[in-house]
Amino acid sequence: MKKYVFSLLILAAASISTKAQVNLGVKAGVNFSKINTDNLNESTKTGYQAGIFARFGSALYLQPELYLSSTGGKFSGNNSTGNYNADVKFTNLNVPLLIGHSFGGESLNFRVMAGPIYTYVLDKNENLSANLGPAYADFGNYKNSTIGYQAGAGVDIGAITADLRYEGNLTKISDSYGQRQNLWALSVGFKFF
């Protein structure tokens, strides 16, 4: 699958002309993440994201990004020992590589985009209640990296850019209890040029 994604990205980059427009900028925003699991009640956790992006092209564009984010999830339920809860927080380094299409002009530009994202976990913080029980002993075995996808839409008003995206995981963040993380992210950025 990695070969197909890489081939698609090479094809997209080749289709963007040598006279292509190049933008560099910074972005920051908020995300609402959730870790879906088997047999547990999940709820959303609010986090942040901040980083840099480049955009190569005009109507058809390639947009690599690098940003730091905070994601995670909350869980609750009850078992024979009583009520339990868990709060998981990750600090991540995210590298999405998006292919997009824009509609409009220089002062007002609408965009749609999608592509793969690689996430590397820099730090994990788990707060598990003591009565989670021995059945959940492997609950916190989280992977250090995952592959996912992002899809969304955005708008540029002059040098200001804003995006709303959905992110899903192609790989599980933990093999125990079918844990997969997904999120919605809203970000605002500024293009330097």
Side-chain angles (χ1 to χ4, degrees), residues 8 15 17-18 21 44 72 75-76 79 88 106 110 112 115 121 123 130-131 144 160 162 168 171 179:
L8 179 65
S15 68
S17 74
T18 58
Q21 179 182 351
T44 303
F75 311 95
S76 63
N79 56 25
V88 179
E106 294 253 339
F110 297 96
V112 292
V121 177
D123 186 45
N131 62 343
N144 288 329
I160 305 297
T171 57
Q179 297 181 67

Side-chain angles (χ1 to χ4, degrees), residues 7-165:
S7 298
L8 179 65
L9 295 176
I10 295 289
L11 180 63
S15 68
I16 297 172
S17 74
T18 58
K19 296 180 182 178
Q21 179 182 351
V22 176
N23 297 122
L24 296 175
V26 294
K27 61 182 273 187
V30 62
N31 64 50
F32 306 96
S33 61
K34 184 177 181 181
I35 299 174
N36 295 316
T37 63
D38 298 334
N39 305 323
L40 292 173
N41 300 322
E42 313 98 2
S43 61
T44 303
K45 187 170 188 69
T46 304
Y48 67 86
Q49 61 185 39
I52 58 174
F53 70 91
R55 191 177 299 154
F56 303 97
S58 51
L60 178 65
Y61 65 88
L62 182 66
Q63 183 169 314
E65 299 180 347
L66 177 66
Y67 59 88
L68 190 67
S69 71
S70 170
T71 62
K74 297 179 183 179
F75 311 95
S76 63
N78 56 38
N79 56 25
S80 60
T81 60
N83 293 334
Y84 61 83
N85 57 54
D87 190 355
V88 179
K89 180 181 174 185
F90 303 112
T91 302
N92 309 308
L93 185 63
N94 301 89
V95 185
L97 188 54
L98 305 170
I99 298 172
H101 193 278
S102 61
F103 312 89
E106 294 253 339
S107 59
L108 181 62
N109 185 30
F110 297 96
R111 297 174 288 105
V112 292
M113 77 284 292
I117 180 171
Y118 172 76
T119 301
Y120 182 78
V121 177
L122 300 171
D123 186 45
K124 302 172 196 172
N125 185 352
E126 303 168 40
N127 183 3
L128 310 174
S129 63
N131 62 343
L132 196 55
Y136 295 99
D138 292 335
F139 184 80
N141 289 337
Y142 292 109
K143 296 178 181 177
N144 288 329
S145 63
T146 59
I147 301 289
Y149 63 91
Q150 286 189 346
V155 63
D156 297 333
I157 304 171
I160 305 297
T161 181
D163 288 347
L164 175 63
R165 296 185 199 162

